[in-house]
Amino acid sequence: MEAEQESKMTEEDYEDGDNPLSSGYHPPFRSPRMQIQRGNVCSRAYFVVVMVFFHVYILNVIGLLLYVHYNNGPGDFVSGDGDSSAPVRQSGTPLPSPAPSPKELHMEDHSQSFSLPRVEGIRVGHVQQVSLVPNRVHEMKTISLKPLLFEIPGFLSEEECRVVVQLAQLKGLMESQTTASNQGQEESNQPLLSLSTEEVFSLLDLNQDGLLQKQEIVSHSRSRDGTWLNPGTLRQILAGLEACSTGALTLKDFSRVYDMSQHPEQQQSRKLRGHFKQRSKHTWLYQGQGSHHVLQTLRNRVTSLTRLPSALVELSEPLQVIRYEQGDFSNAHHDSSPSHSETTCAHTRLAGNTSALTEVSCRYLTMLFHLSSIEEGGETTFPVADNRTYEEQALVQDGIDLTDTQETCSRGNLRIKPTAGTALLWYNHLSDGRGWMGELDEYSLHGDCPVRRGVKWVANSWVNVDPDSQRQVRYQRLVAQRHQAKPGIEEHYQPLSHSDLHQDL
């Protein structure tokens, strides 16, 4: 009853159409608000699920990165400025140059492993654009695939060429270690040390017991005069020693082995080695901290072009500057050496095998800079570039030795005329397929044709790499430790024995 009265009173209170029910107004119901609340609950649950999956995904990514980090081999990381995943661009867009190498040696670089990136040649005649200096693009042209060889015009400016030549003159040039006989003078085929077989045996027999043991032979293995104790001779002597059941060589056995090693005609490679000649003058220029800014800039430019770790470039040989006057030349040779168990790299001798027979140059690549243009002659020649096959015996044809640039320079497959500022880059070694240095590329055989008119100035920048990646890392760690103990720079760049080695074929 009271409810009916209240309802009537409510309806009477609204007059003149003020009743919301009569005007079509519908108050909000409670049920829609309940739906909105249920939607909020679903949204929160969906958010929680998404966040859980997101965190699980992040944890999986972190775990995968840690797994890759701790399971990669020594050839999977790049230290310093090297970037094996960023090849030189083949399009018209220039490759951005990496940040310049710092003034000091990177101590962290010397304790890390790294790989060795290589510039792709694509095909002969292919042109790539590279950015080595601000606001300028250089063109790098592939001129050979065997060996992988590039030409970069304008790598150095005329001013930079002039400064390098003047620094070499200020330092002073010396005669090359391997010098040809004077013109008109008959060349002697006799070794510089004219010793009989008996005298050689007596010198090697340290205890004078009439027998030669292995340790006695090895103790004389570090002779560098290139006459009778070269790696080829030592290999022959040790091979004869291993063939003896007694483990020692008598004078009779030694005479047979030694005499065989002294006849170059029995081995083609020995014949070519014996005929290597060079006539020029050279010097070495330090490029590290405290050197002329042009030399430091040149080294940084090499690092940018090759994309190699800066530690490798910084710890390689100094810049060699060579002057060829009229008539000067160098016969065809290899800048680097093949890897053998009885040899060790000269630059890593601190971490090398102390029982190795001899030290050799290990040069992953060569950058040659033409510092002057000459009127006639003086070409850089690659006698067997891009041959279908390489056979050492084919270098001597009808009595003509293709390695003799004095006589057969015009017969070389590839000849490059010196032009001031032009740089050549070639790899002396193949890749081992795992990102490290492999076998010697026999096609990298090269020489310098005789200068006919003018003066030829060139500079060589070699990047030294040990075929044993672990030994290379160990060497760099030792250098870093020495640098931290004695921060003086000069101790790392004293005239090294390997600096004077320029291995011939």
Side-chain angles (χ1 to χ4, degrees):
M1 191 71 168
E2 292 179 357
E4 293 178 357
Q5 292 177 356
E6 184 177 355
S7 175
K8 292 179 180 180
M9 289 177 61
T10 303
E11 294 177 357
E12 292 174 355
D13 289 341
Y14 294 100
E15 297 178 357
D16 300 330
D18 293 333
N19 191 339
L21 297 176
S22 61
S23 62
Y25 173 77
H26 300 282
F29 293 97
R30 190 173 298 274
S31 57
R33 285 201 295 268
M34 294 301 294
Q35 293 177 359
I36 294 176
Q37 291 178 357
R38 286 197 298 269
N40 289 340
V41 171
C42 293
S43 298
R44 292 193 188 100
Y46 177 76
F47 176 76
V48 171
V49 172
V50 170
M51 291 303 297
V52 169
F53 276 101
F54 177 76
H55 282 80
V56 171
Y57 174 77
I58 292 299
L59 291 175
N60 287 336
V61 171
I62 294 175
L64 178 62
L65 291 176
L66 291 175
Y67 174 81
V68 172
H69 175 76
Y70 288 106
N71 287 276
N72 267 325
D76 295 326
F77 288 98
V78 179
S79 70
D81 299 324
D83 185 6
S84 60
S85 63
V88 178
R89 297 185 182 179
Q90 311 302 326
S91 62
T93 306
L95 176 72
S97 58
S101 180
K103 298 292 183 181
E104 299 179 355
L105 293 175
H106 292 289
M107 289 302 103
E108 65 272 13
D109 288 350
H110 301 262
S111 60
Q112 296 180 3
S113 303
F114 39 73
S115 60
L116 301 175
R118 293 171 71 91
V119 181
E120 294 296 333
I122 309 299
R123 63 183 181 278
V124 174
H126 179 73
V127 177
Q128 311 177 45
Q129 291 185 333
V130 292
S131 178
L132 303 174
V133 296
N135 303 321
R136 183 177 178 185
V137 174
H138 289 81
E139 290 189 346
M140 181 168 62
K141 182 179 181 181
T142 304
I143 57 178
S144 171
L145 294 178
K146 298 188 303 183
L148 188 55
L149 172 63
F150 304 92
E151 182 181 42
I152 309 101
F155 189 88
L156 292 86
S157 65
E158 293 183 5
E159 176 66 16
E160 289 171 332
C161 292
R162 184 182 62 84
V163 169
V164 175
V165 169
Q166 290 178 344
L167 289 172
Q169 292 174 325
L170 182 64
K171 176 77 177 292
L173 287 86
M174 65 187 77
E175 295 288 342
S176 298
Q177 185 177 9
T178 306
T179 306
S181 57
N182 295 330
Q183 291 181 342
Q185 180 180 351
E186 184 179 49
E187 181 181 2
S188 174
N189 291 325
Q190 296 299 322
L192 298 177
L193 298 179
S194 299
L195 300 175
S196 65
T197 303
E198 291 77 9
E199 290 172 325
V200 173
F201 182 87
S202 178
L203 289 173
L204 294 176
D205 187 11
L206 298 179
N207 58 9
Q208 295 294 300
D209 62 349
L211 296 174
L212 279 185
Q213 288 81 22
K214 182 176 181 179
Q215 60 268 24
E216 291 178 318
I217 300 174
V218 172
S219 66
H220 286 269
S221 65
R222 298 186 182 273
S223 173
R224 296 183 179 277
D225 55 17
T227 53
W228 51 280
L229 276 182
N230 53 58
T233 301
L234 289 167
R235 281 195 291 270
Q236 295 249 355
I237 296 175
L238 286 177
L241 178 66
E242 294 174 355
C244 292
S245 57
T246 59
L249 289 175
T250 64
L251 176 59
K252 181 179 179 181
D253 296 331
F254 176 78
S255 298
R256 175 179 51 81
V257 175
Y258 182 72
D259 290 344
M260 183 181 299
S261 69
Q262 294 304 295
H263 290 82
E265 63 275 5
Q266 294 183 4
Q267 291 183 350
Q268 186 67 23
S269 60
R270 297 280 299 150
K271 178 178 181 180
L272 298 176
R273 285 183 188 273
H275 286 166
F276 176 74
K277 301 185 294 293
Q278 181 181 19
R279 186 168 68 229
S280 62
K281 295 180 180 179
H282 73 277
T283 191
W284 302 87
L285 298 179
Y286 166 69
Q287 294 182 271
Q289 184 180 4
S291 63
H292 195 282
H293 71 91
V294 170
L295 299 179
Q296 296 187 53
T297 300
L298 185 59
R299 186 185 66 180
N300 294 339
R301 209 172 291 168
V302 171
T303 305
S304 299
L305 179 66
T306 61
R307 307 191 318 278
L308 290 171
S310 58
L312 283 180
V313 182
E314 291 171 0
L315 293 178
S316 293
E317 298 171 64
L319 185 71
Q320 184 191 45
V321 183
I322 309 177
R323 171 189 171 99
Y324 294 92
E325 300 177 356
Q326 185 171 346
D328 288 353
F329 67 97
S330 69
N331 275 5
H333 57 280
H334 292 108
D335 279 349
S336 191
S337 305
S339 177
H340 296 292
S341 59
E342 67 271 16
T343 63
T344 186
C345 295
H347 76 283
T348 55
R349 62 185 180 277
L350 291 175
N353 182 9
T354 57
S355 63
L357 295 179
T358 188
E359 297 173 356
V360 297
S361 292
C362 301
R363 294 160 172 165
Y364 177 58
L365 61 80
T366 296
M367 284 212 67
L368 184 145
F369 312 114
H370 289 291
L371 304 177
S372 66
S373 303
I374 62 175
E375 302 177 27
E376 184 180 354
E379 298 90 350
T380 301
T381 178
F382 290 79
V384 294
D386 282 330
N387 267 7
R388 295 184 62 182
T389 58
Y390 178 88
E391 294 182 359
E392 203 168 79
Q393 291 77 7
L395 293 174
V396 179
Q397 302 174 358
D398 300 327
I400 299 176
D401 188 351
L402 295 181
T403 65
D404 185 0
T405 58
Q406 276 189 304
E407 303 295 334
T408 63
C409 187
S410 60
R411 300 184 59 172
N413 287 357
L414 180 62
R415 297 186 305 277
I416 305 167
K417 185 176 179 61
T419 303
T422 297
L424 300 178
L425 163 65
W426 70 85
Y427 292 90
N428 297 308
H429 287 262
L430 304 172
S431 174
D432 66 350
R434 296 172 295 177
W436 199 249
M437 186 171 78
E439 297 179 354
L440 178 70
D441 189 347
E442 301 283 2
Y443 292 92
S444 65
L445 185 74
H446 66 283
D448 297 275
C449 300
V451 175
R452 303 303 180 191
R453 284 193 299 172
V455 177
K456 175 182 177 180
W457 286 91
V458 298
N460 288 311
S461 179
W462 291 294
V463 178
N464 300 118
V465 178
D466 197 303
D468 187 337
S469 60
Q470 296 299 326
R471 188 160 56 210
Q472 178 71 36
V473 173
R474 188 163 61 249
Y475 159 70
Q476 294 186 193
R477 187 179 297 114
L478 289 174
V479 173
Q481 293 172 356
R482 288 194 174 192
H483 183 87
Q484 292 172 349
K486 297 179 180 180
I489 304 169
E490 290 78 6
E491 66 171 344
H492 301 301
Y493 291 94
Q494 294 295 334
L496 301 177
S497 58
H498 74 267
S499 299
D500 294 327
L501 292 179
H502 198 65
Q503 297 296 316
D504 56 280
L505 176 66

